[in-house]
């Protein structure tokens, strides 16, 4: 009896299996993960792109001194309740921790009215009557106890105004100066190469290997820029070590604050510049002190409560954004955390409040987002593929007004860059010379979720 041939007759090593059968549903289509690879780069490129005149660029910034004008008492002295100039005789009170005032103290301080607080509790109100060599004298307007108050080391003096005598002359003036910060543009190069034979081949999956590599390398190039703009560091820092920003995490790096050219050299002695990314800058220059008004680095651990959430968001939104909404770039773990905390059974618990997280939407720039409603403002949560691994539970809240895409040379796709000796093939390259401009670091915020 003749054996009937069927489709299973060809073994895995037979011609029917290896060459004649077509297993491909759509042989010219290949699906890809991470179609939207770089939302942070997309946002800053569309929000504000600046052509910089030099690959190492400087930026001016200024912090209004009147936001907080204060100083601390640095020695124990008695403040007389009856308004007698204190300390008595020729002695003056030593001060430090000066914010928003001439530093060291000078005659421009005379006439300032201050609240004297110890551990946050108001103890007295006084006027500065004299200054000598950076030290001050007071006259009490009132004391909370009605009797003399012994000022303690660490007592905070908060300026609440100024007052001058009838018929007096104009007081002495003081002024501040602008701060300068800087960053660098970084040269990115992503090459691709195929032989002439492979370029001419008609293939399954993707009919042209050169076209496939061009698409894939374009995404790789953009993703590497995204990571540099988020995590990159620059030799010499950004100059924030020299600025007047009251940061909490400045280190003692001897290169800190050095403009230099911000780079190292390769094996041929060529200068390699790198840009400072926003997350790396926040980790280095941010303030993580929970009791500080300017805190902008937060840790969300297992003890995090709805009260903590409200307090943290108050600091995030103290600088009201022009757009009314702040963008937050999140890893999948961070987005998952806020999703779990949403609703009456989440972070708010039985407090009578709730954390509301909206449905997924798509921004006009092409990336997905969800809106997190907070008591102080709205956060646009943008899932960011680069925030993976160690950064999976990070959330970077940025201020659009104080962040820009710096471009020294426009991005370009360079074709046929290898032609020596009649090279039989194609070598192309994506090239960019770009960086990120970061100003007023305290207007940006970083959440690290460890829960």
């Amino acid at each position: 009896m003749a054996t009937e041939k069927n489709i299973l007759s060809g073994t895995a090593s037979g011609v029917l299996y290896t060459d004649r059968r077509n297993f491909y549903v759509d042989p010219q289509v290949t699906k890809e993960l991470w179609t939207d690879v770089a939302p942070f780069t997309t946002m800053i490129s569309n929000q504000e792109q600046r052509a910089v005149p030099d690959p190492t660029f400087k930026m001016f910034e200024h912090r209004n001194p009147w936001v907080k004008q204060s100083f601390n008492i640095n020695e124990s002295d008695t403040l007389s309740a009856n308004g007698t100039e204190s300390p008595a005789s020729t002695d003056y009170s030593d001060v430090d921790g000066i914010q928003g005032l001439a530093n060291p103290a000078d005659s421009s301080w005379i006439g300032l009215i201050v609240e004297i607080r110890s551990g946050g509790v108001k103890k007295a109100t006084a006027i500065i009557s004299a200054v000598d060599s950076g030290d001050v004298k007071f006259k009490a307007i009132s004391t909370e106890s009605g009797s003399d108050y012994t000022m303690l080391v660490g007592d905070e003096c908060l300026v609440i105004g100024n007052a001058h005598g009838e018929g007096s002359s104009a007081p002495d003036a003081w002024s501040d100066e602008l701060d300068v910060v800087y960053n660098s543009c970084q040269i990115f190069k992503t090459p691709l190469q195929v032989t002439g034979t492979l370029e001419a081949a008609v293939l399954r999956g993707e009919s042209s290997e050169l076209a496939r590599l061009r698409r894939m390398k374009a995404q790789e190039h953009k993703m590497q820029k995204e990571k540099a703009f988020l995590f990159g560091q620059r030799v010499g820092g950004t100059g924030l070590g020299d600025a007047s920003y009251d940061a909490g995490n400045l280190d003692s790096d001897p290169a800190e604050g050095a403009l230099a050219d911000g780079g190292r050299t390769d094996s041929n002695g060529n200068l390699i510049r790198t840009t400072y990314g926003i997350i790396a800058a926040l980790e280095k220059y941010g303030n993580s002190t929970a009791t500080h008004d300017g805190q902008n680095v937060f840790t969300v651990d297992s003890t995090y409560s709805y009260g903590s959430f409200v307090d943290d968001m108050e600091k995030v939104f103290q600088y009201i954004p022009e757009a009314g909404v702040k963008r937050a770039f999140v890893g999948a773990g961070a987005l998952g955390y806020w999703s779990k905390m949403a609703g009456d059974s989440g972070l708010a618990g039985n407090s009578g409040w709730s954390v509301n997280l909206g449905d997924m939407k798509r921004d006009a720039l092409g990336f997905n987002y969800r809106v997190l409603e907070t008591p102080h403002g709205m956060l646009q949560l943008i899932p960011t593929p680069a925030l993976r691994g160690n950064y999976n539970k990070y959330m970077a809240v940025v201020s659009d007004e104080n962040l820009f895409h710096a471009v020294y040379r426009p991005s370009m796709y360079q074709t046929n860059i290898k032609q020596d000796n009649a090279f039989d093939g194609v070598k192309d390259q994506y090239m960019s010379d770009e960086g990120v401009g970061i100003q007023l670091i305290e207007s940006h915020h970083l959440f690290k979720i460890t829960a």
Side-chain angles (χ1 to χ4, degrees):
M1 182 177 177
T3 303
E4 182 183 54
K5 187 173 184 178
N6 59 49
I7 199 168
L8 299 176
S9 299
T11 65
S13 59
V15 172
L16 180 63
Y17 186 88
T18 60
D19 290 272
R20 298 184 64 190
R21 290 177 65 181
N22 184 359
F23 297 98
Y24 302 97
V25 176
D26 195 341
Q28 306 308 327
V29 175
T30 302
K31 294 295 183 182
E32 296 279 1
L33 294 171
W34 312 118
T35 54
D36 179 24
V37 298
F40 179 73
T41 302
T42 299
M43 186 278 290
I44 62 171
S45 297
N46 284 272
Q47 183 72 23
E48 184 170 9
Q49 189 173 95
R50 296 187 194 174
V52 294
D54 191 278
T56 296
F57 53 93
K58 289 185 174 183
M59 301 156 285
F60 290 113
E61 57 182 33
H62 180 255
R63 295 163 178 85
N64 289 313
W66 41 258
V67 172
K68 184 177 182 181
Q69 295 179 302
S70 67
F71 57 92
N72 296 328
I73 299 297
N74 199 32
E75 65 180 342
S76 181
D77 286 308
T78 299
L79 179 69
S80 299
N82 64 6
T84 303
E85 194 168 57
S86 306
S89 68
T90 60
D91 193 19
Y92 285 75
S93 292
D94 185 25
V95 299
D96 63 4
I98 299 169
Q99 292 188 56
L101 298 166
N103 190 0
D106 62 19
S107 57
S108 67
W109 284 36
I110 295 174
L112 294 179
I113 300 175
V114 297
E115 280 186 355
I116 301 174
R117 291 180 173 267
S118 182
V121 178
K122 186 165 72 171
K123 297 295 184 178
T125 302
I127 188 168
I128 296 175
S129 57
V131 178
D132 180 64
S133 301
D135 299 336
V136 302
K137 280 181 177 286
F138 301 93
K139 285 188 177 181
I141 295 174
S142 68
T143 62
E144 295 301 299
S145 65
S147 56
D148 294 353
Y149 171 65
T150 301
M151 297 182 292
L152 304 175
V153 174
D155 278 6
E156 185 177 32
C157 298
L158 297 168
V159 175
I160 59 171
N162 70 80
H164 298 273
E166 184 176 342
S168 62
S169 300
D172 290 340
W174 79 281
S175 62
D176 64 356
E177 186 53 276
L178 301 181
D179 295 318
V180 177
V181 292
Y182 35 81
N183 210 341
S184 294
C185 287
Q186 178 173 329
I187 298 174
F188 299 85
K189 294 182 178 181
T190 307
L192 59 102
Q193 180 175 322
V194 296
T195 65
T197 304
L198 180 56
E199 181 192 8
V202 178
L203 307 170
R204 289 175 176 169
E206 294 280 354
S207 59
S208 169
E209 185 66 1
L210 179 60
R212 184 188 74 83
L213 288 176
R214 282 173 172 167
R215 289 195 302 272
M216 186 269 287
K217 290 296 181 179
Q219 286 193 327
E220 179 184 342
H221 187 75
K222 194 172 184 180
M223 176 59 88
Q224 291 188 354
K225 287 198 299 182
E226 176 96 340
K227 289 180 178 178
F229 294 167
L230 291 170
F231 313 127
Q233 295 197 35
R234 178 188 179 277
V235 174
T238 69
L240 272 172
D242 297 335
S244 61
Y245 170 54
D246 183 21
N249 296 329
L250 288 180
D251 63 16
S252 56
D253 181 354
E256 188 59 45
L259 174 61
D261 221 338
R264 297 288 188 239
T265 54
D266 63 16
S267 58
N268 296 316
N270 299 312
L271 181 65
I272 302 172
R273 297 183 189 87
T274 54
T275 197
Y276 220 121
I278 183 64
I279 287 180
L282 282 165
E283 288 191 309
K284 186 168 189 179
Y285 300 114
N287 191 320
S288 59
T289 304
T291 56
H292 197 288
D293 293 340
Q295 182 188 12
N296 62 343
V297 177
F298 307 91
T299 298
V300 178
D301 57 22
S302 58
T303 64
Y304 199 71
S305 65
Y306 183 72
S308 304
F309 173 74
V310 173
D311 292 343
D312 290 350
M313 290 304 156
E314 177 183 350
K315 295 176 180 178
V316 169
F317 285 94
Q318 66 178 303
Y319 310 109
I320 302 172
E322 292 180 6
V325 176
K326 283 204 167 189
R327 288 190 172 102
F329 295 88
V330 297
L335 182 61
Y337 176 83
W338 296 120
S339 298
K340 294 172 187 175
M341 295 299 100
D344 293 335
S345 61
L347 189 64
N350 296 320
S351 65
W353 294 84
S354 63
V355 178
N356 296 315
L357 190 62
D359 296 333
M360 188 69 74
K361 299 178 182 178
R362 193 158 183 85
D363 189 89
L365 298 179
F367 48 74
N368 296 322
Y369 70 91
R370 299 181 73 181
V371 173
L372 177 64
E373 299 179 17
T374 84
H376 301 282
M378 311 288 278
L379 282 180
Q380 189 183 63
L381 304 185
I382 303 168
T384 306
L387 296 177
R388 295 172 60 79
N390 295 329
Y391 297 100
N392 182 49
K393 289 189 173 182
Y394 273 46
M395 178 173 77
V397 183
V398 301
S399 170
D400 294 354
E401 296 86 357
N402 299 316
L403 196 68
F404 66 89
H405 184 199
V407 179
Y408 182 61
R409 288 181 287 175
S411 295
M412 61 187 75
Y413 183 70
Q414 300 169 321
T415 60
N416 260 350
I417 60 175
K418 183 177 180 180
Q419 297 178 336
D420 293 345
N421 299 318
F423 171 63
D424 180 19
V426 176
K427 184 174 184 179
D428 298 344
Q429 149 176 297
Y430 291 92
M431 198 283 291
S432 304
D433 197 348
E434 305 170 1
V436 58
I438 304 169
Q439 294 175 279
L440 297 175
I441 191 70
E442 63 268 41
S443 67
H444 308 285
H445 300 79
L446 179 64
F447 286 77
K448 300 178 180 181
I449 299 172
T450 61

